């Protein structure tokens, strides 16, 4: 763990979820805020393998967030999961993994882009979901595009 204010490095032992071996497969980690990392695995084609976990960096514990998720987007205040194969909408979780709410529950979700405040959901129509209140706006105008923020590497 690197403290970006001081650049101090700290090491933690993490208890990985049962059956997760980092040497087997491609994994992704993302910061979800409040001392939590989110872990998920990708298959050879780069598709999410069902199962998303949260890891508390303070005590090293892990928690299964969504066993059926085949998609995940993470902000510093929320974990958003969905299943591309089923019309179950999105599930929004607290950074530690506790469920917060479900939105667009009858829609089959293909993609989600998140910011700190909103999830932009592509589910046939495009929807904006307030990650705090759960309020759904949409479907948005058909010309609306999902734009995912990206990280910029500085020299």
């Amino acid at each position: 763990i690197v403290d970006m204010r001081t650049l101090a490095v700290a090491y933690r032992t993490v208890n990985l979820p049962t059956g997760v071996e980092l040497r087997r497969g491609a994994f992704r980690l993302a910061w979800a805020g409040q001392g939590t990392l989110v872990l998920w695995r990708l298959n050879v084609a780069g598709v999410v393998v069902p199962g998303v976990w949260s890891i508390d960096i303070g005590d090293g514990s892990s928690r299964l967030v969504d066993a059926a998720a085949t998609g995940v987007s993470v902000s510093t205040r929320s974990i958003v999961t969905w299943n591309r194969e089923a019309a179950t909408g999105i599930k929004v979780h607290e950074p530690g993994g506790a469920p917060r709410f479900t939105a667009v529950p009858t829609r089959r979700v293909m993609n989600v882009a998140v910011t700190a405040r909103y999830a932009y959901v592509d589910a046939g129509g495009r929807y904006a979901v307030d990650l705090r209140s759960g309020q759904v706006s949409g479907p948005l105008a058909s010309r609306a595009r999902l734009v995912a923020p990206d990280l910029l590497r500085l020299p």
Side-chain angles (χ1 to χ4, degrees), residues 48-60:
V48 175
V49 174
V52 175
W53 297 268
S54 66
I55 300 171
D56 184 310
I57 62 170
D59 65 13

Side-chain angles (χ1 to χ4, degrees), residues 2-3 6 16 21-22 24 27 36-38 48 65-66 74-75 82 84 98 109 118 121 130 144 152 155:
V2 178
D3 182 327
T6 65
L16 292 175
E21 295 182 35
L22 294 179
R24 294 185 182 180
F27 288 86
T36 304
L37 293 171
V38 179
V48 175
V65 173
D66 188 342
V74 180
S75 78
W82 66 96
R84 288 183 177 92
V109 175
Y118 292 96
V121 180
D130 187 312
L152 175 63

